[in-house]
Amino acid sequence: MNFCGKTIPTRANAKYDPEDLHRCHLHSGHAGRCQEYPYLDHLAGVAPKVKNKVVRDATKTTGAAWKSDDAGPNRISRWVMMLDDEELLALGIDMSKLKPGIVAKLREKSASYDDCMASAKYLTYLVYGMANAPIPDQYTRQYLEALFGPINAGTTSCLICKSQLDFADFSEARRGRAEIETAHAQPRLHTPGNVGFAHRDCNIAQGDKTLPEFYEWIAGILERRRHSGG
Ligand SMILES: [Zn+2]
Ligand SMILES: [Zn+2]
């Protein structure tokens, strides 16, 4: 499947983005104006908050409490974090003023524009595979199925604990945090297959371990518990 790929003017609020970064993701030769996220139009109509979450999680670094100047930029685009310190300084972001832990967190979330776009498509596909998910319109179904295969509600499971995810959990929130979060099997790799959705509790438990490391850690705990008769 070939995409149009024409440049889409950068929105005024994307202040760190190069002018020619954003691309059209409609199929080549399409009618009408170019669009960056055509496969999210349906979700925007039926579940706008989920649509916004997909775009945010696919393209932005997570927004810990970094709102003050000295704590660093909040929810910056992942591709901006691929620039080196000198390039960032030219954009007005002084990494040397941030605490090392925050720099590490921001750098860990870095990803190319293309990987972010591919992740957005894959996350949208996973949304429609959740139990009780809205049924995609024909355009959206064809777009996503051509990339990832058939969409069947009830097939998307938590990336970490493997139990089924329910679309309704997007609207469940405790202390203002959603019950479903975006997670990564390998925390530094933001690509389809490696990115997915997970329960908030599972995501917290995984922390910055890779999934194999996490399972080994759990297996070790269960093994020791068995030997201690606990
Ligand atoms: Zn186009
Ligand atoms: Zn889980």
Side-chain angles (χ1 to χ4, degrees):
M1 178 158 57
N2 289 317
F3 297 111
C4 161
K6 281 190 191 132
T7 300
I8 292 181
T10 296
R11 291 180 302 276
N13 62 1
K15 60 177 178 174
Y16 302 119
D17 291 356
E19 264 174 37
D20 59 351
L21 180 79
H22 296 267
R23 303 280 162 177
C24 173
H25 288 82
L26 283 162
H27 298 133
S28 45
H30 67 85
R33 65 181 184 88
C34 289
Q35 266 185 282
E36 194 169 25
Y37 300 101
Y39 54 90
L40 276 168
D41 274 359
H42 173 259
L43 207 54
V46 297
K49 280 186 182 163
V50 177
K51 178 256 178 183
N52 290 339
K53 178 177 175 57
V54 167
V55 173
R56 193 172 62 233
D57 289 0
T59 64
K60 301 291 181 187
T61 61
T62 40
W66 309 329
K67 280 169 189 159
S68 69
D69 262 11
D70 108 300
N74 191 32
R75 288 210 184 281
I76 201 162
S77 297
R78 290 177 183 267
W79 48 82
V80 173
M81 277 300 126
M82 295 193 71
L83 302 175
D84 64 33
D85 284 6
E86 213 165 289
E87 292 169 311
L88 287 171
L89 194 58
L91 292 172
I93 303 169
D94 190 348
M95 297 295 272
S96 72
K97 288 206 171 135
L98 304 179
K99 295 194 181 94
I102 288 173
V103 170
K105 272 202 158 132
L106 286 167
R107 290 298 192 188
E108 184 178 297
K109 305 288 176 193
S110 72
S112 70
Y113 174 76
D114 286 344
D115 281 348
C116 290
M117 293 301 106
S119 296
K121 291 170 190 173
Y122 186 63
L123 288 173
T124 308
Y125 171 76
L126 292 179
V127 166
Y128 286 114
M130 289 179 185
N132 302 307
I135 294 168
D137 62 11
Q138 201 189 349
Y139 173 81
T140 307
R141 179 182 290 278
Q142 282 176 353
Y143 190 106
L144 296 171
E145 288 190 340
L147 291 170
F148 306 114
I151 291 172
N152 291 306
T155 55
T156 296
S157 56
C158 171
L159 182 76
I160 299 161
C161 78
K162 308 302 180 190
S163 67
Q164 198 182 60
L165 287 176
D166 194 309
F167 184 81
D169 287 343
F170 275 121
S171 51
E172 294 290 321
R174 279 182 294 167
R175 297 181 295 274
R177 297 289 300 268
E179 283 300 291
I180 297 181
E181 297 186 344
T182 300
H184 295 81
Q186 210 288 37
R188 285 171 179 272
L189 205 56
H190 191 56
T191 53
N194 188 68
V195 69
F197 289 110
H199 299 106
R200 173 170 158 71
D201 288 345
C202 296
N203 204 18
I204 290 170
Q206 184 195 351
D208 55 11
K209 296 179 183 70
T210 66
L211 271 188
E213 286 166 354
F214 174 67
Y215 295 142
E216 208 172 303
W217 180 65
I218 295 282
I221 292 172
L222 294 176
E223 181 68 10
R224 287 188 295 279
R225 177 172 176 264
R226 202 168 61 82
H227 284 296
S228 72

